[in-house]
Amino acid sequence: VVGNIGYMTAGNKFYTFDLSSKSGSRHQLGVVTLAGTGNSIFVAGNYAFVATSAESAELQIVDVSNASAPTIVGQTDINGEEGRDVFVNTTATRAYLATELSVTQAELFIINVTSKTGNQPILGSYDTDGMDPKGVTVVSSNRAIIVGAGAEEYQVINTTIESTLVRCGGMDVDTGINGVSSVLESDGDAYSYIITGDA
């Protein structure tokens, strides 16, 4: 949700909803068909960034400036593995896309989304070394956090040099991590909240 507009995916459909009223059934505003199943949405400004299962468009960019007529304007083809989660920086110029585990390629990608339209270029990638990603977030000091199942389930990546992403820390959570969200305190300390498979 951003303001009075709700965003969701169901299968390969991307929907917008009117949430100006908070009770009762909500009115659907618009719908657009994605290239694959929508797995995650991040809305920044007039654009929604959607991680999809499509092998040729793991990231799709939807113009939502008119909530009644969302329109796909851009995409990125990564590696043939489905997009799992996406995070976009505050200026909406970089997207951080986590894909499912690949035995031959990377699973975290930094994408230049400055233009939003057409094919968006990949700036850098990172191999999680056997971890199957479920979520990604970015905090201060150019640090990305990617979480998932298998291998080291919580990994912190230094993204200062976008073409050369480097692991700078991590931890094992053997029950797996299904999602992550981070907060930044005024003194610069960053904390992550994670959801795990631990009962």
Side-chain angles (χ1 to χ4, degrees):
V1 176
V2 177
N4 287 326
I5 306 297
Y7 305 90
M8 67 164 284
T9 62
N12 68 341
K13 302 293 185 186
F14 173 92
Y15 297 94
T16 56
F17 291 89
D18 178 2
L19 298 179
S20 53
S21 175
K22 306 300 188 255
S23 61
S25 179
R26 300 295 86 228
H27 174 68
Q28 178 184 317
L29 294 171
V31 62
V32 67
T33 301
L34 302 167
T37 299
N39 291 325
S40 177
I41 302 170
F42 194 104
V43 178
N46 290 326
Y47 297 92
F49 299 80
V50 185
T52 80
S53 66
E55 293 183 0
S56 59
E58 292 87 352
L59 176 69
Q60 290 197 281
I61 303 172
V62 183
D63 183 337
V64 293
S65 56
N66 178 356
S68 297
T71 307
I72 296 171
V73 294
Q75 67 282 321
T76 299
D77 183 10
I78 301 299
N79 64 355
E81 304 299 338
E82 74 174 55
R84 289 274 178 82
D85 195 21
V86 61
F87 181 91
V88 178
N89 66 355
T90 56
T91 58
T93 58
R94 297 293 186 268
Y96 300 80
L97 180 70
T99 68
E100 70 179 328
L101 178 64
S102 171
V103 295
T104 59
Q105 299 190 45
E107 292 82 20
L108 175 65
F109 298 86
I110 299 180
I111 303 160
N112 184 345
V113 293
T114 303
S115 73
K116 314 290 187 291
T117 59
N119 293 314
Q120 306 297 294
I122 300 168
L123 300 175
S125 62
Y126 171 82
D127 191 320
T128 60
D129 197 24
M131 186 252 282
D132 187 15
K134 305 290 185 189
V136 64
T137 190
V138 177
V139 294
S140 65
S141 302
N142 299 309
R143 298 297 187 267
I145 300 168
I146 187 166
V147 299
E152 186 179 47
E153 292 84 6
Y154 182 99
Q155 297 181 28
V156 183
I157 299 97
N158 185 334
T159 64
T160 302
I161 303 172
E162 293 178 320
S163 60
T164 309
L165 306 182
V166 179
R167 179 192 177 280
C168 59
M171 68 178 183
D172 285 313
V173 179
D174 292 336
T175 57
I177 303 175
N178 297 314
V180 61
S181 183
S182 295
V183 295
L184 186 64
E185 293 187 331
S186 58
D187 63 357
D189 292 337
Y191 291 88
S192 291
Y193 293 84
I194 60 175
I195 49 176
T196 76
D198 190 338

